Amino acid sequence: MSDNKSDTIPSFGEAANNKGQRSVSSTGGLGGGLGIHSMAEVLAIIAVAVIIIGGAEVLLRVFEVPEFVMPTPSAIVTALVVHFDEIAPHLGHTLIELIVGYTIGASIGMLLAAFITQFPFVEKIITPYILLLVTTPMLALVPLLILNFGFGYTPRFIAVGLAAGPMVMINSATGFRRVDQGKIALARSYGASTFQIFTKIRIPMAMPMIIVGLMMGAIFAVITAIGAEMSGGGFGLGSKLTTFSSTLRTAEFFAVILILAIMGIMIYTFFSWLGKRLAGWES
Amino acid sequence: MNKIDNRPLTVRSATKIYGAGPGRVHALQDVDLDIAPGEFVSIVGPSGCGKTTLLWSIAGLHHLSDGSINLGAEKIEKPHPSIGMMFQDANLLPWRSVRKNIEFPFEIRRKEPDANKIDELLNRVGIAGFSDKYPRELSGGMQQRASIVRALSSDPDVLLMDEPFGALDAFTRDEMNLLMEEIWAETKKTIILITHSIQEALFLSNKVYVMSARPGRIHKVFDVPFERPRPLKLMESAEFFDLVNVIKTEIQHRPTSNITAE
Ligand SMILES: Nc1ncnc2c1ncn2[C@@H]1O[C@H](COP(=O)(O)OP(=O)(O)O)[C@@H](O)[C@H]1O
Ligand SMILES: [Mg+2]
């Protein structure tokens, strides 16, 4: 029965599982950041960064690559500082889209996962549609959403939610499906109610995969938000990418990319930390 | 230190059939047990003969198809607070520290954990310094010690054990057997142990029930004559060895004749 179930969600659940397991456990080693253990490692990381960034700086200057083709790292940082006032409001818009869309999408995804995994029959029927949502790039829907909901926040909330929700759902469901009859029997032998079994056995067992889902959902949310902003509306970091590239303001363009990279690292670090806190027992 | 319980555990015509139709499994047929309070009994038998089914039914985790189980006058149909269960492997929750694992039953029953009793038991089984460790940081033997504390901390009158030491190495297993023998002597709990080690069954129990398979029945009962306290050396004595062989023969011969009889 349970074998059957894992068959219906074949390679994806597994792939996500493995990928996730790795990121969460590699996090286990992360000293709250990027897996840093010793002074020697810190020095090595700094050295490599200096070589790559410094090397790029030197090469771009030596070969006199024009700034609109590829700005030097120092020019990018300067652009970020000088034009921060221009970029900051758009960062705000993007964050609002991410927070609202992600919160709604991830919550629904988690609740749905917790719910349908309790009813194998319902799960069999619903899972193909969730898979469809996972594999369809939500960006493709954005033009249609804009047509229906205008150029405001609404189409972006929907796109972000639709990108994050199914990703959270499919991974959390994998977690909730990891039932260990022995542990459930243990709880039952002390007279545990169904609700207690859910909160004290099923949720902790699912937690590592829930966190993987939350992290992947967050990454998909960022990609989708930026993409949606590039499709129109004139606000948000994505729209600035469009403007800066079309007006050859390449240094500012890369300044926005830098912000997105920092956002990505923060998301990864946060969920790594969360994974260590709540699911560190597994690894 | 422990309350005296005088309720016998009785199993009457316990019959269990899993499923229906051609795929159904006849796991237990008319099993009767009379276990006096404070008695230590073991159940041995070929794998698949229904030992776990029987024990889970006594724990109130399975419904019988027919027959009944009583603790004194109370019929057991769901988990009973006076009946504790120790599972195969230690069955600790890996996301909880040893102490949190031990407090788990109290949490489920919404009771304040008895900290003194828990500390005393942790000391007794020799893992007092490990209560903040996580299961993965402990050896198999230590995990079983923690699991013993979890089972005993709510002071059940009856303790059920399903092959608790099966996964341990021989040396650790001897240690655990000695510990169980002492704990039983100190607490005088009613203990039912399922094991596939006849030595373990004989070393620990007053009575050994031998089950046969398809359907699972009680085939024979042996009274164990050895005096207590029993030292580990007992297992090297000739009488012990002879009794092991007698029981082994019963287990090996019975199932085949039973299958032809069916
Ligand atoms: N939940 C179940 N559903 C169907 N058959 C079961 C179930 N549990 C056990 N059985 C079957 O019942 C028989 C007895 O199993 P069990 O009580 O686990 O035996 P033992 O513990 O002696 O090895 C076996 O044939 C087993 O396959
Ligand atoms: Mg068994």
Side-chain angles (χ1 to χ4, degrees):
Chain A
M1 192 79 195
S2 58
D3 281 344
N4 261 346
K5 256 194 286 173
S6 35
D7 282 351
T8 53
I9 311 179
S11 36
F12 182 79
E14 287 310 300
N17 194 341
N18 294 339
K19 214 184 291 169
Q21 228 85 329
R22 203 184 315 133
S23 26
V24 168
S25 56
S26 65
T27 342
L30 303 197
L34 290 165
I36 299 159
H37 291 286
S38 67
M39 203 59 200
E41 279 180 28
V42 175
L43 290 176
I45 288 166
I46 293 174
V48 171
V50 167
I51 291 169
I52 290 178
I53 297 169
E57 184 82 34
V58 170
L59 286 177
L60 291 169
R61 280 171 192 266
V62 167
F63 291 102
E64 293 177 345
V65 179
E67 186 168 297
F68 69 85
V69 174
M70 184 68 218
T72 61
S74 63
I76 294 171
V77 174
T78 311
L80 181 59
V81 174
V82 171
H83 298 282
F84 192 72
D85 287 348
E86 184 187 347
I87 297 171
H90 295 278
L91 173 59
H93 292 305
T94 302
L95 287 178
I96 288 172
E97 290 157 20
L98 284 175
I99 290 166
V100 174
Y102 178 75
T103 307
I104 295 173
S107 312
I108 294 177
M110 254 191 294
L111 289 177
L112 207 59
F115 179 76
I116 67 162
T117 45
Q118 308 308 307
F119 306 98
F121 181 69
V122 179
E123 189 181 353
K124 270 211 168 71
I125 295 171
I126 290 186
T127 303
Y129 300 99
I130 304 293
L131 271 177
L132 206 70
L133 287 177
V134 169
T135 49
T136 309
M138 286 307 138
L139 277 178
L141 284 184
V142 169
L144 185 71
L145 291 172
I146 290 177
L147 206 64
N148 287 319
F149 298 99
F151 281 101
Y153 277 129
T154 316
R156 297 174 182 189
F157 291 157
I158 296 174
V160 169
L162 280 175
M167 196 53 98
V168 173
M169 197 241 126
I170 214 90
N171 281 288
S172 306
T174 305
F176 280 115
R177 236 179 284 116
R178 300 191 338 180
V179 277
D180 181 331
Q181 289 307 334
K183 295 190 170 53
I184 290 174
L186 173 82
R188 282 217 295 134
S189 77
Y190 294 115
S193 64
T194 310
F195 182 73
Q196 282 178 316
I197 289 172
F198 190 76
T199 55
K200 295 191 185 291
I201 304 288
R202 291 188 195 270
I203 289 184
M205 285 214 74
M207 195 51 81
M209 285 310 295
I210 293 178
I211 289 168
V212 167
L214 287 175
M215 164 140 67
M216 290 175 64
I219 291 166
F220 270 63
V222 174
I223 294 171
T224 306
I226 299 304
E229 289 164 353
M230 292 172 84
S231 321
F235 63 100
L237 290 178
S239 78
K240 291 317 278 181
L241 285 178
T242 313
T243 340
F244 288 147
S245 64
S246 62
T247 50
L248 296 187
R249 294 172 68 186
T250 317
E252 289 90 325
F253 176 89
F254 276 101
V256 174
I257 298 284
L258 183 60
I259 292 177
L260 295 175
I262 293 170
M263 254 162 73
I265 290 172
M266 282 170 64
I267 288 172
Y268 177 79
T269 310
F270 172 73
F271 284 105
S272 298
W273 170 82
L274 199 67
K276 208 176 160 190
R277 275 295 306 275
L278 300 180
W281 53 272
E282 193 177 75
S283 66
Chain B
M1 151 180 130
N2 290 285
K3 59 188 189 309
I4 311 286
D5 186 64
N6 53 12
R7 291 175 291 177
L9 186 81
T10 47
V11 177
R12 286 284 167 272
S13 319
T15 299
K16 174 75 181 179
I17 297 164
Y18 288 109
R24 71 198 197 131
V25 179
H26 204 143
L28 293 177
Q29 178 66 54
D30 289 322
V31 171
D32 289 323
L33 295 176
D34 283 280
I35 299 168
E39 206 173 16
F40 195 136
V41 306
S42 294
I43 301 174
V44 296
S47 134
C49 73
K51 303 182 293 293
T52 297
T53 303
L54 177 59
L55 205 70
W56 280 44
S57 305
I58 298 173
L61 293 168
H62 274 332
H63 286 290
L64 289 175
S65 310
D66 200 7
S68 62
I69 296 166
N70 276 72
L71 180 63
E74 269 185 280
K75 193 166 182 199
I76 303 298
E77 286 174 311
K78 58 178 176 33
H80 190 285
S82 304
I83 301 179
M85 173 93 170
M86 268 181 72
F87 293 83
Q88 229 154 325
D89 310 320
N91 205 8
L92 297 174
L93 305 175
W95 54 87
R96 284 168 172 257
S97 66
V98 167
R99 183 168 284 277
K100 287 278 172 206
N101 262 287
I102 293 165
E103 289 174 354
F104 180 70
F106 295 90
E107 236 175 88
I108 294 291
R109 292 168 172 160
R110 296 197 175 79
K111 282 192 183 146
E112 204 47 42
D114 186 344
N116 289 333
K117 171 127 195 135
I118 291 173
D119 285 336
E120 184 191 313
L121 283 165
L122 282 169
N123 262 317
R124 178 63 193 85
V125 304
I127 53 167
F130 296 86
S131 57
D132 293 327
K133 294 253 182 281
Y134 282 80
R136 65 163 188 275
E137 301 173 281
L138 302 184
S139 67
M142 301 264 234
Q143 291 189 18
Q144 272 304 352
R145 285 166 199 266
S147 154
I148 291 172
V149 176
R150 178 172 61 189
L152 291 179
S153 59
S154 42
D155 211 7
D157 299 318
V158 179
L159 182 60
L160 310 174
M161 306 170 84
D162 190 356
E163 299 193 15
F165 310 133
L168 303 179
D169 61 87
F171 180 72
T172 314
R173 194 167 184 149
D174 283 352
E175 265 181 10
M176 299 306 293
N177 285 340
L178 209 51
L179 179 67
M180 279 320 296
E181 135 95 0
E182 289 166 6
I183 284 179
W184 176 79
E186 289 161 21
T187 62
K188 279 292 182 297
K189 291 195 182 304
T190 310
I191 299 183
I192 306 178
L193 169 75
I194 289 180
T195 174
H196 54 242
S197 157
I198 300 168
Q199 283 88 343
E200 184 169 275
L202 281 174
F203 179 74
L204 287 170
S205 347
N206 306 69
K207 261 187 206 166
V208 176
Y209 289 88
V210 178
M211 283 183 72
S212 59
R214 292 159 196 284
R217 297 173 197 269
I218 301 293
H219 164 56
K220 253 206 165 97
V221 190
F222 290 87
D223 283 312
V224 183
F226 311 117
E227 297 221 330
R228 297 190 190 256
R230 296 174 182 167
L232 278 176
K233 273 210 307 288
L234 170 68
M235 293 201 239
E236 290 151 28
S237 73
E239 299 95 306
F240 191 90
F241 198 71
D242 289 346
L243 199 45
V244 169
N245 278 326
V246 171
I247 295 178
K248 198 178 274 174
T249 318
E250 285 299 336
I251 295 176
Q252 282 163 352
H253 285 95
R254 183 63 198 181
T256 5
S257 62
N258 210 28
I259 284 168
T260 35
E262 259 191 329

